[in-house]
Amino acid sequence: MKKRYSAVFAILLILLTVAPVFGQAAKKQLTFLFMPGVQDPFYTTMEKGVRAKCKELGVNLIVAEYPKAWGPEYQVPILQAYAQRGGFDGLLIAPTSVDALKAPLKAIYDKGVEIITVDTFLGDGDYSKPNTDYNFPLSYIGSDNYLGGKMIAEHLAKLVGEKGKVFCEATNPDASSVAARVKGFRDGIAQFPNMKLVGVEWCLDVQQKAQEQTLAALQKDKDIVGIFGTNVFSAQGANQAVVNAGLVGAIKIASWDATITNIENLKKGVIDLVLAQKPGEMGSLGVEWLYKYLTQKVQVPKKVIPGFEFFTKDNVNDPNMQQYIYQ
Ligand code: T6T
């Protein structure tokens, strides 16, 4: 009798020791691919958020080669090379075009990869709509770009006394983020009867082109009082044009994206307002939701909006604000 008890006890002990090991072996280690939009400080900051969250959750991370310039012609070949190699369960990507990325991403999704778009989206970004060719990503995680553009218009209007001509330097109408910023800015300025948006230029994310286009706008309309630069390269190019034209102080400038260069220019008084997105948080949330979906099948919200912050000369040295400068 005693012998039988000790045999049962021994079997139980073995099961208790071995079961968790089997459990762990059964739990597959996940691998995610991160595909940024372009080589710039916004996406390198996002990568830091992605890396930290992957490390915390024990997810393998592959960071795709950064496209050298903005656009599907640069991004899609890189993406397809990684897709061909395979070996990832989830994809975090900033699509550089609302249309051109639909088919390449659908092909990856059809191979069983779950996708979250970060910063930019496909189509109109509403992934809950049935019967579309772009509703397969789990979620869009990024800024409310329309709201940001509108708020910038309102801030800029205050800075110029709600009257005068303003100009907008943008990148590419095919990028959901920047297109929405321009739309919000246009609608925001339209609220002020004594203000006029005299031009919107698209530099295709080339800083030198942004500088030339802004200079041309300043020569055409000599009474421009405000400028909005809608992302890193368009803003930095537009700001340089104002410096070169000797118009610092005479023109109020709002710049999107808190790069070190933009923050330094704010401190020097070249620009007046900087909108800081939260790229690190976008990346971190992207990893977290992919992980939760793949491990627990939780329902992922179709849109997650981390929000943004405004830097002005009054808060630029505030210790609490330093975390929002891109790294
Ligand atoms: O402004 C960001 C990003 O939000 C946009 O989609 C593309 O440009 C940046 O990466 C800045 O260069």
Side-chain angles (χ1 to χ4, degrees), residues 38 40 42-43 70 119-120 177-178 181 205 230-233 256-257 277:
V38 75
D40 75 9
F42 172 84
Y43 290 114
W70 183 270
D119 175 47
T120 48
S177 52
V178 178
R181 291 169 203 170
D205 221 21
T230 61
N231 83 333
V232 172
F233 298 121
W256 192 290
D257 284 321
Q277 302 190 81

